[in-house]
Amino acid sequence: MNDLLLKSRNKQRQQRLRHEVSRLYLSLTDLIPMDTESTFFENPPQTVAVGQPLSRVDGRAKVTGAAKYSAEYNHLPGMVHAVIKTSDVAKGRVTGFDLSAAQREPGVLAILTHQNLPKPALTAETKEGKEAIGYSVQMTFMPLQSDQIFYAGQPVAIVVADTLEHAQQAAAKLRVSIAAEAPIASYQDTKAPRYNPGGKPDADAEGTKRRGKAAEAFAAAPAQVTATYSHATNHHSPMEPSATIAHWEAADRLTVYDATQGVSWQQRALSAILGLPQDQVRVITKYLGGGFGCKGPIWPHSVLTALTAKAVGRPVKLVLTRPQMFTSVGHREDQEQTLRLGATKQGKLLALLHEKTSTTSPWDDYAETNSKFMGMLYQCPNFEATTKLVKGNVMTPTWMRAPGEAPGSFALESSMDDLAYQLGLDPVQIRLVNHADKDPATGQPWSSKSLKQCYQRGAELFGWSKRNPKNGLTRDGKYLVGWGMATATYPVNDSQGNARVRLFADGHAVVQVAATDLGTGTYTVITQVAADCLGIAPDKVRFELGDSALPTTNISGGSMGAGTFASSVYTAAQDLWQKLTKMAVTDAKSPLFRAKPAEVEVVKGRLQLKANPAKGEDFAALMKRGSLTDLEGFGQGKYGAGYEAAQSGAPAPAKPDDAGKESGHAMYSFGAHFCEVRVDPELGTVRITKWVSVVAGGRILNPKTARSQVLGGATMGIGAALMEQTVRDPNLARYTNASLADYHVPVNADIPDMTVEFIDEHDPYINALGVKGIGEIAIVGTAAAVGNAIFHATGRRLRSLPMTPDKVLEAMRQPV
């Protein structure tokens, strides 16, 4: 027995000694200089998983119900439920509350109003507050701080009870007295003043942009097009409503389960608003049921949930109702655009003038930046764009899939079609005539641009050569048939983020990024990237995301996610391989002993000499020999202008949307959509019967998930084109169709089988893997493609979205 004990103790001592030696060994290898220009694995690495149509790694969890969404963390002891009581009045002042009936309801714990709700430490209503909270705040106004009412649906009270049903019943019996005032519903209200926000230094909207002498060039142009377009208010309407669970684990430590597109952004905002150190706020979002932009910034309900949990001293769950989703998380603003195109008789653009007016909130100068799209898509020497706003009694609008590009493309691509018809040119041809070989806005060359290939391949797939150039002449029985097309583009917005890679000697790895998967496939594509970077199979990679305790990164939005996260994981893997290379060249038992680090490369998880690939070893053997069970790498990846600036040593851009400003190249994705419609001239109905989308989006990580992104974006664009419209009462400034029964979105029967292809594109400037975002380009130009097809079918141009049957019938009554 004593001999066994002695052997056991000796074995433990030997293990401890080996671990100490390994730690000392790694610390000594840090003294070895590394050639910063050496490539530890191919840039980009040899692809085995990347580019393959791998099925979603999170698919099983979703279909079996194992995936937990933000409202499903029901394990917290003592958790209670909160319900928001909102105002039906769009403008006024709260004059009193009758709490008696509500307080008598069973299970009620608290009724919080502006009179007794704990105050936040900071709000974004001041410039200092907005700077501290950062880009994650969209609406600077925080409800329940005073008796003032500024928009219909504004929270006026929060009812907390032991069950959701008790809270709902009590909220229904809560009486709120409000002295109503006359509201401003939209920019269409003639009493509301219009203003140019450009003079304000902190404005979120553009003012006026000029290049050349647009007005003079337009007046002298031989061919002219002038048209006004309107775009209805749209709401994001994801399947999963916004939800927040707030749990104060201590007086100064908060955990929040929140339906957000950016856990790091949300963490920063909540810590500033609540006056807590950032490391004492944790935000968790493992799965998201869609966002499209409305879950990007932080909204009042998340803050109010945290304040409510503080007030009652228990974890609190708050889930927005579907009607509250229309008044709590922003919207795409209602807007009007007037566009003037001047061109030669050959169709070459000479001038482009764009005027936009939209509705914003009483506090924020937010408007979609349509002019960015207008000023860069086609070569045009003279350009002018002006934005005007009207302050209405609505909450602040927000980003909605391709903000600016989606509505802007409807105006520009419809007008380009009009110009083509006026001059007798094919719609594809006029776009080729005006193809921009450099960015007209900056004069910079493109980092990559395969738009001509998109036109060519899209036309081939669609059969565009068979199109009758005359409109109104193609029929299928009683139906009028039309073909239309439009260009798509979206910028590569500058972004950066961090990642951690932990490789185990047994051949598996854990990869960590505080990212969010909106449902678009982030779990899957980053698993593929990590597998190739580490030289292991995808099923040996566990990708962890959705927790602000992980390495911080940017929001999943602005088509930045895949490019940022992939670049970060790549950089972290490089860091890991540097450490392993240091080990190998200092290990007398390694075939790479005494080699210079610059002479070593990594191919599919194997370290080997560049000059003699047969001389090398697998990472597992090296780690086991060094008594390492695992090793970590950490890296910061950059996407867009920041990546090119880092490569060239230039300063990085100051803001996330400054893509290209500090780089040598303009960075965009490009694409083209082709659409066939059948129009019933008697009923005014429009059916999409054929669709082709071709996209050049850099390196495609997974063609299956990428295709799904394009299908979803195009479907969303078709919805905006034909049916989506939130109606705001012009007198009461409140929505009349705030439900999915009345706010119509496309369903399967509305959408045909779609053809989606990608152009293989190499871009060495945007990030380490050449990956561009494709989440938003798919919606750009889709409404115009539908409108252009309707024009080809009927000979009538519709310029107001959505193009509903009543508008089609009205247009059909007009002479051609």
Side-chain angles (χ1 to χ4, degrees):
M1 180 64 72
N2 290 336
D3 288 343
L4 289 173
L5 287 172
L6 182 60
K7 288 180 181 179
S8 176
R9 287 169 183 164
N10 287 337
K11 187 176 181 180
Q12 290 173 1
R13 290 192 191 100
Q14 290 170 1
Q15 288 175 339
R16 284 197 298 270
L17 181 60
R18 279 198 296 268
H19 283 298
E20 290 298 325
V21 169
S22 296
R23 280 195 289 270
L24 178 61
Y25 182 57
L26 284 174
S27 64
L28 288 174
T29 60
D30 288 338
L31 301 176
I32 301 173
M34 298 300 293
D35 183 351
T36 57
E37 295 184 359
S38 63
T39 302
F40 289 89
F41 57 87
E42 292 142 305
N43 185 4
Q46 284 188 346
T47 56
V48 177
V50 166
Q52 298 302 311
L54 185 69
S55 295
R56 293 175 184 266
V57 299
D58 54 328
R60 180 178 294 274
K62 288 182 174 179
V63 299
T64 60
K68 269 192 176 181
Y69 292 81
S70 297
E72 297 180 319
Y73 287 85
N74 298 314
H75 64 284
L76 302 176
M79 187 172 71
V80 294
H81 297 262
V83 168
I84 295 177
K85 179 80 171 181
T86 60
S87 170
D88 292 329
V89 172
K91 185 179 181 182
R93 185 173 58 85
V94 176
T95 58
F97 298 93
D98 182 355
L99 310 179
S100 55
Q103 288 174 331
R104 287 196 296 268
E105 287 299 312
V108 173
L109 301 176
I111 299 176
L112 303 171
T113 70
H114 68 276
Q115 297 170 341
N116 61 345
L117 182 74
K119 300 298 181 185
L122 191 68
T123 70
E125 295 180 35
T126 65
K127 182 179 180 180
E128 294 74 19
K130 190 171 184 179
E131 289 176 351
I133 296 168
Y135 294 113
S136 52
V137 67
Q138 181 71 1
M139 186 168 79
T140 57
F141 171 71
M142 180 61 65
L144 287 172
Q145 304 302 299
S146 74
D147 61 359
Q148 294 296 308
I149 302 297
F150 294 103
Y151 61 95
Q154 178 180 320
V156 293
I158 299 175
V159 178
V160 185
D162 58 347
T163 68
L164 175 61
E165 292 76 13
H166 286 159
Q168 290 172 330
Q169 179 70 0
K173 293 192 174 183
L174 173 61
R175 297 291 176 259
V176 183
S177 300
I178 299 175
E181 302 172 29
I184 298 294
S186 76
Y187 71 87
Q188 297 175 336
D189 192 322
T190 57
K191 303 187 298 295
R194 300 185 177 197
Y195 69 97
N196 187 322
K200 298 185 177 182
D202 60 342
D204 293 322
E206 299 174 305
T208 300
K209 290 185 172 182
R210 290 187 179 92
R211 182 173 71 240
K213 298 180 179 180
E216 292 90 332
F218 174 79
Q224 298 179 354
V225 171
T226 299
T228 297
Y229 303 86
S230 63
H231 196 299
T233 301
N234 285 169
H235 277 84
H236 309 71
S237 300
M239 291 180 66
E240 176 204 28
S242 292
T244 306
I245 297 176
H247 178 208
W248 290 87
E249 299 178 36
D252 59 352
R253 187 172 295 275
L254 175 68
T255 297
V256 174
Y257 304 89
D258 201 62
T260 177
Q261 292 174 224
V263 292
S264 297
W265 274 29
Q266 202 85 336
Q267 178 194 42
R268 175 184 174 182
L270 283 171
S271 67
I273 292 170
L274 300 173
L276 295 172
Q278 196 161 315
D279 64 349
Q280 291 178 212
V281 176
R282 185 181 179 190
V283 180
I284 296 172
T285 311
K286 294 296 184 182
Y287 295 92
L288 201 71
F292 316 114
C294 74
K295 294 174 183 174
I298 189 168
W299 295 104
H301 70 272
S302 298
V303 179
L304 295 176
T305 305
L307 295 174
T308 299
K310 189 80 167 178
V312 300
R314 293 170 69 171
V316 170
K317 178 196 289 191
L318 188 151
V319 180
L320 296 182
T321 65
R322 184 57 60 178
Q324 287 173 349
M325 285 292 293
F326 285 77
T327 58
S328 303
V329 289
H331 54 273
R332 195 192 296 279
E333 75 261 25
D334 47 324
Q335 55 190 274
E336 180 181 276
Q337 304 176 79
T338 297
L339 195 62
R340 290 182 284 169
L341 299 182
T344 67
K345 290 294 185 181
Q346 294 73 39
K348 191 72 174 175
L349 287 174
L350 300 173
L352 193 159
L353 293 95
H354 178 253
E355 300 174 13
K356 179 196 170 187
T357 303
S358 60
T359 311
T360 189
S361 68
W363 329 275
D364 301 310
D365 295 320
Y366 175 82
E368 292 184 303
T369 52
N370 303 28
S371 67
K372 287 184 179 180
F373 172 89
M374 296 284 177
M376 57 67 59
L377 186 55
Y378 298 114
Q379 186 61 48
C380 183
N382 302 287
F383 171 73
E384 181 175 315
T386 302
T387 299
K388 292 186 178 179
L389 294 176
V390 169
K391 288 193 176 295
N393 288 106
V394 298
M395 72 178 312
T396 303
T398 194
W399 321 309
M400 186 170 183
R401 204 169 194 164
E405 288 80 10
S409 63
F410 175 61
L412 179 56
E413 290 299 277
S414 297
S415 290
M416 288 294 287
D417 223 50
D418 283 342
L419 184 62
Y421 277 98
Q422 183 185 132
L423 299 175
L425 296 175
D426 183 90
V428 175
Q429 182 61 30
I430 199 168
R431 288 162 173 83
L432 290 171
V433 166
N434 291 285
H435 182 272
D437 296 325
K438 293 184 178 181
D439 183 356
T442 64
Q444 295 173 327
W446 308 106
S447 62
S448 59
K449 185 177 184 180
S450 305
L451 179 56
K452 290 181 180 179
Q453 294 92 316
C454 292
Y455 290 147
Q456 179 181 352
R457 183 56 179 157
E460 290 174 357
L461 292 169
F462 194 81
W464 187 259
S465 61
K466 300 176 183 178
R467 174 181 174 273
N468 188 330
K470 301 291 185 181
N471 53 27
L473 298 182
T474 306
R475 284 184 172 267
D476 180 7
K478 72 170 184 175
Y479 297 105
L480 299 171
V481 181
W483 289 5
M485 61 80 58
T487 308
T489 187
Y490 194 77
V492 174
N493 290 314
D494 189 64
S495 176
Q496 67 180 29
N498 304 307
R500 182 185 297 115
V501 172
R502 191 177 186 187
L503 182 63
F504 291 80
D506 66 3
H508 83 279
V510 175
V511 178
Q512 298 175 321
V513 182
T516 305
D517 189 333
L518 292 84
T520 52
T522 302
Y523 273 110
T524 306
V525 296
I526 303 304
T527 295
Q528 292 174 268
V529 169
D532 282 351
C533 287
L534 297 173
I536 59 180
D539 62 3
K540 298 296 184 181
V541 176
R542 185 172 80 247
F543 178 42
E544 297 180 350
L545 53 69
D547 190 333
S548 63
L550 302 177
T552 59
T553 193
N554 213 334
I555 188 176
S556 291
S559 295
M560 299 180 291
T564 305
F565 311 150
S567 186
S568 303
V569 170
Y570 170 90
T571 308
Q574 288 276 31
D575 180 53
L576 175 72
W577 290 123
Q578 286 189 12
K579 293 175 180 176
L580 285 170
T581 300
K582 289 179 182 180
M583 286 179 58
V585 299
T586 56
D587 183 356
K589 295 182 179 180
S590 172
L592 302 172
F593 180 54
R594 291 183 177 174
K596 293 180 180 180
E599 298 172 344
V600 179
E601 65 179 356
V602 177
V603 177
K604 298 181 180 179
R606 186 174 185 272
L607 295 89
Q608 60 191 35
L609 287 179
K610 296 177 182 178
N612 182 13
K615 193 172 183 179
E617 65 178 326
D618 183 82
F619 71 85
L622 176 63
M623 292 174 67
K624 289 177 181 177
R625 196 167 56 250
S627 299
L628 289 177
T629 58
D630 60 271
L631 190 62
E632 286 190 356
F634 187 87
Q636 181 180 87
K638 297 179 183 294
Y639 175 59
Y643 175 75
E644 185 180 11
Q647 299 298 102
S648 64
K655 297 189 298 182
D657 60 352
D658 281 346
K661 289 187 179 179
E662 301 291 344
S663 69
H665 292 82
M667 302 176 180
Y668 287 81
S669 295
F670 292 93
H673 304 295
F674 292 79
C675 171
E676 179 186 81
V677 299
R678 277 172 168 73
V679 180
D680 188 327
E682 298 173 353
L683 300 177
T685 55
V686 178
R687 300 287 297 178
I688 311 291
T689 49
K690 184 163 64 172
W691 188 275
V692 171
S693 291
V694 180
V695 174
R699 190 179 205 185
I700 301 302
L701 297 175
N702 183 321
K704 182 185 291 187
T705 58
R707 178 176 179 271
S708 293
Q709 287 247 45
V710 176
L711 292 177
T715 299
M716 195 170 174
I718 291 170
L722 296 179
M723 59 191 71
E724 292 193 42
Q725 177 181 20
T726 322
V727 180
R728 195 181 299 133
D729 186 294
N731 298 310
L732 301 176
R734 67 187 184 202
Y735 297 118
T736 63
N737 62 331
S739 72
L740 290 183
D742 300 310
Y743 181 86
H744 296 162
V745 297
V747 297
N748 288 352
D750 297 312
I751 304 299
D753 288 337
M754 290 180 164
T755 299
V756 175
E757 277 199 10
F758 297 97
I759 300 297
D760 187 24
E761 189 175 54
H762 174 65
D763 193 319
Y765 302 105
I766 53 173
N767 71 350
L769 299 176
V771 177
K772 292 181 181 178
I774 57 170
E776 284 162 288
I777 189 174
I779 196 175
V780 181
T782 50
V786 175
N788 292 341
I790 293 173
F791 180 67
H792 181 238
T794 65
R796 277 79 169 179
R797 175 67 67 184
L798 276 70
R799 306 187 192 278
S800 175
L801 294 181
M803 295 174 282
T804 47
D806 58 310
K807 295 177 184 176
V808 175
L809 290 175
E810 182 180 355
M812 294 296 292
R813 288 194 291 266
Q814 304 301 319
V816 177

